[in-house]
Amino acid sequence: STLPVELLLQRQKKRAVRVSMLAAAAAILISAVVLCLQTVPERPATLAGFRVAPNSAFTLTHAEDGEKLMGNVLNEGSRIVVEHGVVEISLPHDVRAVVEAPATVKLLDERTLKLDHGRAFFHVPAEEGRGFTVVTPHQRIVDLGTAFGVDLRPDRNEVELHVFEGRVRVDP
């Protein structure tokens, strides 16, 4: 039996639509597999944030070569050189550091900040921040839950330490 021409054309259109749908589904599936197999470069862990007082001048560098971090954030190895003004650093465990220029600080890890020179005030909560350490060229200051200040000038070989509240341990 012969089918009318219109019925044959209708079947061909349906078949063409099915083939197109299958091709689109296959393309989506292949794209999904490729995306799942791609490795996304891991961004460095952000450990701290900082704020800068108005009219302050500073330079920020990071340890990872070529790695750009967005915003005012620090990771392990980040260094801030404060040329003029004040920078407040918000560290993990609710530790806060206020650094006055001229100063150079480097974040070594989530509990250690290196102060090459400068004046800084540290507020460390008793429980969460215990063990926070400030490393200077001359000594290590380990916090035991307190508020303290450090004044380290590049032209002197001693560190001036002021404990405002609580206790610290000083290691040579």
Side-chain angles (χ1 to χ4, degrees):
S1 83
T2 58
L3 296 174
V5 174
E6 289 179 15
L7 191 57
L8 286 173
L9 288 174
Q10 197 175 28
R11 282 186 180 171
Q12 283 180 339
K13 284 182 185 179
K14 283 182 181 179
R15 193 174 300 137
V17 168
R18 268 190 249 137
V19 169
S20 296
M21 296 280 274
L22 286 173
I28 291 171
L29 182 62
I30 290 170
S31 297
V33 168
V34 168
L35 286 175
C36 287
L37 294 177
Q38 272 187 335
T39 57
V40 177
E42 193 173 310
R43 298 205 41 89
T46 300
L47 293 180
F50 68 94
R51 298 184 310 172
V52 181
N55 299 320
S56 294
F58 72 97
T59 304
L60 173 64
T61 56
H62 301 291
E64 283 76 21
D65 293 328
E67 189 67 47
K68 300 277 191 217
L69 296 177
M70 300 302 289
N72 290 353
V73 296
L74 305 172
N75 61 350
E76 282 188 14
S78 293
R79 177 186 304 272
I80 300 177
V81 177
V82 187
E83 297 152 12
H84 176 75
V86 177
V87 172
E88 178 186 39
I89 303 171
S90 300
L91 296 148
H93 312 290
D94 292 327
V95 174
R96 198 179 54 152
V98 178
V99 182
E100 181 182 341
T104 300
V105 294
K106 181 177 182 180
L107 183 61
L108 299 180
D109 61 43
E110 72 176 30
R111 290 195 174 271
T112 311
L113 192 69
K114 182 179 181 190
L115 178 66
D116 290 331
H117 70 276
R119 183 179 296 164
F121 168 78
F122 301 91
H123 179 265
V124 184
E127 293 304 316
E128 303 89 25
R130 185 173 303 245
F132 173 75
T133 303
V134 176
V135 177
T136 73
H138 310 291
Q139 60 202 185
R140 293 169 47 92
I141 302 163
V142 181
D143 181 83
L144 302 175
T146 189
F148 64 98
V150 176
D151 190 0
L152 175 61
R153 298 184 187 175
D155 59 339
R156 293 197 295 187
N157 286 334
E158 66 257 3
V159 175
E160 192 174 315
L161 172 65
H162 299 274
V163 179
F164 300 109
E165 182 182 309
R167 299 181 310 141
V168 298
R169 185 181 80 229
V170 179
D171 299 333

